[in-house]
Amino acid sequence: VDSVNILYSVGEFGYVNLKSNNVIINNPLGGFYLMPEFLDKKFQSSEDMCKDLLNNTGVALLPGSDFGISKDKMIARLSFTDFNGDEFMKNFPKDLNINHDLLNKFAPKIVEGTKRLKAWVEST
């Protein structure tokens, strides 16, 4: 149950911080992926967009075209599991909601990656 709460909280963090007028994204209902669509990005393909993202932010996403989505839709798959789950679980406070401070402490790469993605989105 703690692992579900941790993954839910990490996914919710990504969702809340990326959702904007420039990004269509669904709230994660399970699993450990988000599928944002970047509306104001003009690339030939989602693969080109993901290469640009990696080169300019250091954040790796998989293009939506790898999952059967039209390559001209700027959709990508973002995994939010780049953290030490064992460490997070061992330090998970049973009576406390997971807040930004806990995410920053136990999932700093997620926090930083989300910050970089958000800055990339806002750079157009």
Side-chain angles (χ1 to χ4, degrees):
V1 172
D2 293 343
S3 62
V4 171
N5 193 10
I6 289 169
L7 282 174
Y8 173 80
S9 297
V10 174
E12 182 74 12
F13 175 82
Y15 165 75
V16 166
N17 282 281
L18 292 176
K19 183 180 176 188
S20 71
N21 290 336
N22 297 323
V23 179
I24 295 173
I25 189 168
N26 290 323
N27 195 358
L29 300 176
F32 43 87
Y33 298 108
L34 293 170
M35 297 287 287
E37 180 176 4
F38 302 94
L39 299 177
D40 287 346
K41 296 302 181 181
K42 308 295 185 227
F43 295 95
Q44 292 295 317
S45 68
S46 57
E47 185 177 339
D48 290 342
M49 179 189 69
C50 288
K51 285 178 185 175
D52 185 79
L53 258 166
L54 181 60
N55 290 334
N56 288 299
T57 68
V59 178
L61 285 84
L62 293 173
S65 58
D66 286 358
F67 304 96
I69 298 169
S70 176
K71 70 177 187 173
D72 61 348
K73 291 277 224 181
M74 297 305 116
I75 296 175
R77 186 172 89 165
L78 169 64
S79 171
F80 50 84
T81 57
D82 193 3
F83 60 91
N84 184 327
D86 186 49
E87 182 181 349
F88 210 149
M89 290 280 288
K90 287 178 182 174
N91 293 284
F92 183 74
K94 306 288 184 211
D95 60 343
L96 185 67
N97 291 326
I98 297 174
N99 59 33
H100 184 72
D101 291 337
L102 285 174
L103 286 172
N104 219 9
K105 183 174 182 179
F106 295 110
K109 291 179 182 179
I110 301 296
V111 172
E112 179 61 26
T114 302
K115 178 181 169 184
R116 290 179 186 186
L117 282 173
K118 187 174 181 177
W120 181 83
V121 166
E122 294 170 352
S123 69
T124 59

